[in-house]
Amino acid sequence: MTQTSPQSVTEQELQKLEVRLEELVDTITRLKEENRSLRNQQESMVTERASLIEKSEMARTRVEAMINRLKAMEQGA
């Protein structure tokens, strides 16, 4: 049986801890970038939604105006 010294065990534990910390830092960095990307995407979609709502409202107004003109023409005939 080989015995490992307490210093060696502590060193191994520190190395494992260091590796784990590096993994956590990498994960945090990746999540921050993903979060930034998702926020940008959300902002873009909110802007696009507002534009589509405005276009829809304009189309509805135009259709209503055409219906009113057709009704006026029908009543005038």
Side-chain angles (χ1 to χ4, degrees), residues 2-77:
T2 60
Q3 287 190 342
T4 55
S5 68
Q7 185 177 4
S8 176
V9 171
T10 303
E11 221 173 275
Q12 289 174 355
E13 290 174 352
L14 283 174
Q15 286 177 349
K16 287 179 184 178
L17 182 59
E18 184 179 355
V19 167
R20 183 67 182 131
L21 283 172
E22 288 174 0
E23 290 172 353
L24 288 172
V25 168
D26 290 345
T27 299
I28 289 170
T29 302
R30 181 181 52 81
L31 289 173
K32 281 182 178 180
E33 181 57 37
E34 185 178 335
N35 192 3
R36 187 178 304 116
S37 174
L38 289 171
R39 287 182 191 272
N40 288 340
Q41 186 179 3
Q42 180 185 20
E43 184 179 329
S44 174
M45 290 178 144
V46 166
T47 302
E48 182 180 1
R49 180 179 182 268
S51 174
L52 290 171
I53 288 172
E54 183 180 351
K55 287 178 182 180
S56 176
E57 183 63 27
M58 288 173 50
R60 186 182 65 78
T61 301
R62 290 177 65 191
V63 168
E64 285 177 353
M66 290 190 316
I67 289 171
N68 287 335
R69 282 194 300 255
L70 287 171
K71 284 181 182 178
M73 288 173 56
E74 190 176 81
Q75 289 174 357

